[in-house]
Amino acid sequence: MSEQLKFIVEQLNREPFKKNFNLITFDSLEPMQLLQTLNDVLAEIDSKQEIDIREEMPEQTAKRMFTLLGLLKYKPTGGFSDTSSFRQGLVTGSKPVIHPILHWLLQRVPELKKRAYLARFLVKLDVPGEFLTDDVISETYHQYEELVEGFKSYHKECEQLRNSGFSTAEIRRDIAAMEEEKDQLIKRVERLRKRVESVSNHQRMLELARQLRVEKEREESLAHQKQEQKNQLFQAEQRLQRCQIQLKDLRQAASDAKPESLMKRLEEEIKFNSYMVSDKLPKELERMRRKVHYLQKVASEPAMGHAELADLEDKIKQLSQMNQVMEKKVSRSDPMDDNLALYRQQASIIARKKEAKAEELQGAREELAGLTRELNAKSNQARGQGGVEIIRADEFKRYVAKMRGKNITYKKKRQETAELKAEFGILQRTEEILRQRHTAELQQLQTLEAQRGISGFSETQEELERVSAIKSELDELKGRTLDDMSEMVKKLNSAIVEKKSALSPIIKELRPLRQQCQELAEEYDEKKAQYDTCAAGLESNRSKLEQEVRTLREEIAQEENRYHHINCQKEVIEIQMQRAADEMKVYVSSDPQTRKKSIREQYMKNIAEQESLGKKLREQQKQVKESHGPNMRQVRMWKDLEQLLECKKQCYLRAQSQTSIGQVIQDSGEDRLVL
């Protein structure tokens, strides 16, 4: 499980997720956060799944994820093979359900992306059969299936093109390189044309070169035709040899075939065919007819109810019981009572053996016919593909002997090529040494010229020689002929022969050293292989030991944790035991003051105080219950008295206000009378 979590955290911290988790933070995620992480991974596989699960109902989230996992062909592991339990764990964001899904998804993200993309187009719509009776719907569904098949073919072609190794960038680079080569060739052609135009009779020479090229192409085509004719001749010879071998086999078979053996073989075939026609095939035909009749009878009968099925089951049980009784009776009966029982048994055994052998013979014949057809088909396929006939064992042996001879020749040629390459390396090294000496002599010459006060004399002399050489070459170009070229080739060949003869002793000395080098190289390869195997073994042992050390360290850590935990428990128990011993000492003590300090006495005192307090509270409760009714009536009476006094107050205030109003009116009337 820890490896699984490490893999999940490592993948989630990479592109494109960038979650920045560690083992602790990932393991402490809430169910909703874990579901959101799973949804982010599914959104990377299928962009339609990019939804915030807080804005979606849990059932819809589970249904959406369950559908996508079904399309991706995910199979639940562990104890969640049941669909209902798996769905419940997915809804609640259970870690035992989510972690295996994340591990499975992150292992194969590119593959699942491709599968989700294809499922978008290849998962067919489920149209009920009753709707397909409509012509329009049926035609539309047929077009839909054709489009799905077309998408499959196009997708396969696209994958083949992607896997073919060609890319647009490579093709563009090739085109650019070809364009550059084309420009370079055009420039070279222009330079050569300008150079040739200065030569007399250049048109004639160009025409001759063109004819030479045509003749070379014709020579190549003729060589190709010659090789094809050689191959055809070789194939015809092989076909002739096979035909001769077949003719020889047929002649041997005809020479060995006697009339008696032919008659015997024909009689055996006739007996076998008559047995198949008169005994085996009629029985099989009758059995098939009975089976078809029984199936037709079953198909024609109406559907049975539960009661009829129960009756049939009862009848089957009765028949099975009767069968068992008959078998017991037969087993109990003495075979000596029936004189023909032994012969009947032997006849039945022989008949069964006969049927078995006939079936084996028929199967062998069918297998032989199938193998013959397969052989003919493969022979025709081989002829059609490469035009090569299938060779026999003796022809293959001759071919192997021929290839061995060619292999020996190839090894000799390869050795000669290696010697020539070594000689070429020696010549290159000689040329380099001569160039270095020439450079040193030039520097020495320049130093001497500087000392004598004639600096640049050699360069001027070389320039004059070069100019004169160029002039002589230009003069010779006009009158040069093929004889001069052949003479130059002869000189070069003679120079090469001289160099070879000069270098042959050195090459002879190098041959044993080369052989020794090859032997040392073989020994080095062998030792290196031994070293690699030993290193691989040691590496595997080291990894095993590291795994064991890691396991032992984990066990040590667990045992240390357990040790500290047990020590803590031990200390707690010791403290509890000490307290119990102190309590016993105090409890057993004869001093009453000391006994009062014991926990038991304190608890008893607290219990007594709580009991007395509870008793007082119960008495108060009883008094409250008894005085509750009168007190409530008294409260109501006080409320009524308060209302009555308030009413009297209002009446008094009203009377006072009326008296003051009358006095004012009276005073105003008197004032009027005075006036």
Side-chain angles (χ1 to χ4, degrees), residues 228-242 386-389:
E228 288 182 353
Q229 289 177 0
K230 283 183 179 179
N231 294 333
Q232 292 176 1
L233 179 62
F234 179 70
Q235 294 173 7
E237 289 176 354
Q238 287 185 342
R239 197 177 296 113
L240 177 61
Q241 290 176 1
R242 284 194 294 274
V388 180
E389 297 288 339

Side-chain angles (χ1 to χ4, degrees), residues 654-664:
R654 195 178 298 114
Q656 284 292 110
S657 62
Q658 288 177 358
T659 304
S660 60
I661 291 169
Q663 186 67 33
V664 170

Side-chain angles (χ1 to χ4, degrees), residues 104 123 136 235 271 283 348 403 448 475 485 552 590 668:
W104 185 80
V123 176
V136 179
Q235 294 173 7
K271 285 180 181 179
K283 288 182 181 179
S348 63
M403 290 303 294
L448 289 173
D475 294 335
M485 296 293 291
L552 292 173
S590 59
S668 63

Side-chain angles (χ1 to χ4, degrees), residues 382-394:
R383 292 192 196 98
Q385 287 181 355
V388 180
E389 297 288 339
I390 299 174
I391 60 176
R392 295 180 180 272
D394 52 353

Side-chain angles (χ1 to χ4, degrees), residues 236-252:
E237 289 176 354
Q238 287 185 342
R239 197 177 296 113
L240 177 61
Q241 290 176 1
R242 284 194 294 274
C243 292
Q244 288 176 355
I245 292 169
Q246 291 178 1
L247 180 61
K248 186 178 179 180
D249 294 338
L250 291 173
R251 285 177 179 175
Q252 288 179 357

Side-chain angles (χ1 to χ4, degrees), residues 585-602:
K585 288 179 182 179
V586 173
Y587 184 71
V588 176
S589 177
S590 59
D591 189 4
Q593 296 296 329
T594 307
R595 291 183 64 182
K596 287 181 181 179
K597 295 179 181 179
S598 65
I599 298 173
R600 185 173 182 274
E601 292 295 331
Q602 292 177 4

